Amino acid sequence: MDEADEERTPTPGSVPKLARWLLGAGLLVGFAAAGEALRALTHLPVPGSTLGMILLLAVLLLPLGRRLTRIVAPAADTLIAVLPLLLVPLAVGVIAAFGPLAEHAMAIIAALVVGWLATFLTAAFTADLLMRRVRRS
């Protein structure tokens, strides 16, 4: 066995890590598929993957959730690490659709400003309430 063969030979701890990662990724895909099925059955105007992640959150809040968190965490951590790469197709799609977007530029800017203002005011109001509560105690 030469050095190249030794590098390709999995170490004893690497196979279970890969198996745990694949199980976690499979569970994430399973919840996304369950969300798609729920969307198809209920005709909700929400993406199926979003419904799947809401289902996952509900399960994580149950007592079984701690164990499920340990199973899903390796795959979730990996996906979060590559999240910017997953957003590249979205950015390309926005650039490709720039013509129709430019026609509605004022409406888009107004929606962004109103959304930002609502978020900012909600955060400020919540922070003020929390600070008052802390001062009282």
Side-chain angles (χ1 to χ4, degrees):
M1 188 184 281
D2 63 351
E3 287 181 28
D5 289 335
E6 288 177 11
E7 288 177 9
R8 281 182 259 155
T9 305
T11 60
S14 66
V15 175
K17 271 187 182 178
L18 177 62
R20 280 195 304 263
W21 190 92
L22 288 172
L23 178 61
L27 283 170
L28 290 174
V29 170
F31 274 99
E36 286 292 339
L38 181 64
R39 185 195 59 76
L41 290 172
T42 60
H43 303 290
L44 289 171
V46 178
S49 57
T50 302
L51 290 174
M53 293 304 106
I54 292 170
L55 288 172
L56 176 61
L57 175 63
V59 171
L60 290 175
L61 293 174
L62 296 173
L64 174 70
R66 286 183 185 226
R67 186 167 185 199
L68 186 63
T69 300
R70 284 184 290 226
I71 295 171
V72 173
D77 289 342
T78 303
L79 290 173
I80 288 173
V82 297
L83 186 62
L85 293 175
L86 299 175
L87 296 176
V88 168
L90 175 66
V92 171
V94 168
I95 291 170
F98 188 72
L101 289 175
E103 294 175 18
H104 304 289
M106 292 306 292
I108 292 170
I109 290 170
L112 288 171
V113 169
V114 169
W116 172 82
L117 188 59
T119 303
F120 179 79
L121 292 175
T122 301
F125 180 71
T126 304
D128 184 52
L129 284 176
L130 291 173
M131 290 173 68
R132 286 182 188 182
R133 184 176 289 169
V134 168
R135 285 186 207 145
R136 283 189 225 152
S137 55

